[in-house]
Amino acid sequence: MERKKPVAQKKSPANPEFQAALKLYEEGKIPEAIAAYQKIVLKTPKDASAWLNLGAILRKADQFEASVACCKRALELSTAKGSFLTNLGNALISMDRNEEALAAHEEAVRLEPNSFLIRSNYAIALRECGFPEKALVHFDAACAMEPNNDTMKWERALTYLDMAQYKEGWEAF
């Protein structure tokens, strides 16, 4: 029951090819977006954002090993590591490489503790890896950052229910 979304970098160079690839992704045209990002990384192999987006989209297409490779390449090229690490963590979770995934998510939170997306991805990963108590800490932090985010409230409620804390779970709904 995977709910983590790929982190597509919306801030990018004013590159029309990059913008076109991002639009394809946002429209759900996954094979076309993959092809577009592959062209970009062939043309500009040091574009960390293109590598990151390609990795996120490959994960969405269940191409997990390629996704991990792209996320790692993006990390090599960039200093903006938090969002890159959370994407890597998501891809590693998809491959059941949980220890590595949690380490990537933990480092992302350390680097960007006030990022809603990074906190929420870490919380979901912790729950999926069997650490619901630790997950609740990060769900609470994410909910504090975006108190009106119904998806996050839902995820937190599911975590309480998974822990057989039914009173808290139903109240969290």
Side-chain angles (χ1 to χ4, degrees):
M1 198 184 287
E2 179 110 1
R3 289 186 181 83
K4 295 179 290 295
K5 294 181 182 171
V7 179
Q9 295 296 299
K10 299 205 187 271
K11 295 178 183 174
S12 65
N15 176 340
E17 291 171 333
F18 191 103
Q19 296 305 319
L22 183 59
K23 185 174 184 205
L24 288 168
Y25 166 72
E26 290 170 344
E27 292 172 350
K29 298 177 180 175
I30 303 304
E32 295 89 344
I34 290 171
Y37 278 113
Q38 286 172 332
K39 278 183 173 178
I40 293 169
V41 298
L42 285 173
K43 186 175 175 182
T44 55
K46 293 188 179 184
D47 185 339
S49 293
W51 281 106
L52 183 66
N53 283 15
L54 179 56
I57 295 166
L58 287 167
R59 179 176 166 268
K60 190 167 186 157
D62 295 335
Q63 296 180 35
F64 305 126
E65 287 186 34
S67 173
V68 168
C70 289
C71 290
K72 286 183 176 181
R73 182 65 181 139
L75 278 163
E76 291 170 1
L77 296 170
S78 177
T79 57
K81 306 257 189 226
S83 62
F84 289 45
L85 283 163
T86 201
N87 264 351
L88 176 61
N90 290 346
L92 290 165
I93 285 285
S94 298
M95 296 177 66
D96 293 322
R97 290 169 55 184
N98 297 346
E99 191 173 309
E100 292 172 81
L102 291 178
H105 281 298
E106 185 174 3
E107 180 65 8
V109 168
R110 187 187 71 73
L111 292 171
E112 295 184 41
N114 297 321
S115 167
F116 169 79
L117 181 68
I118 288 171
R119 285 282 184 159
S120 61
N121 278 345
Y122 189 33
I124 292 168
L126 283 164
R127 184 185 65 212
E128 289 179 4
C129 291
F131 301 104
E133 295 87 2
K134 290 180 181 179
L136 282 174
V137 171
H138 296 282
F139 279 124
D140 289 344
C143 285
M145 289 176 206
E146 290 193 16
N148 296 321
N149 187 305
D150 291 335
T151 301
M152 197 50 38
K153 290 177 188 177
W154 171 261
E155 294 291 349
R156 184 173 60 178
L158 289 177
T159 304
Y160 277 120
L161 294 174
D162 286 346
M163 296 169 58
Q165 293 184 8
Y166 301 113
K167 180 180 182 282
E168 295 87 345
W170 291 120
E171 286 174 1
F173 274 114

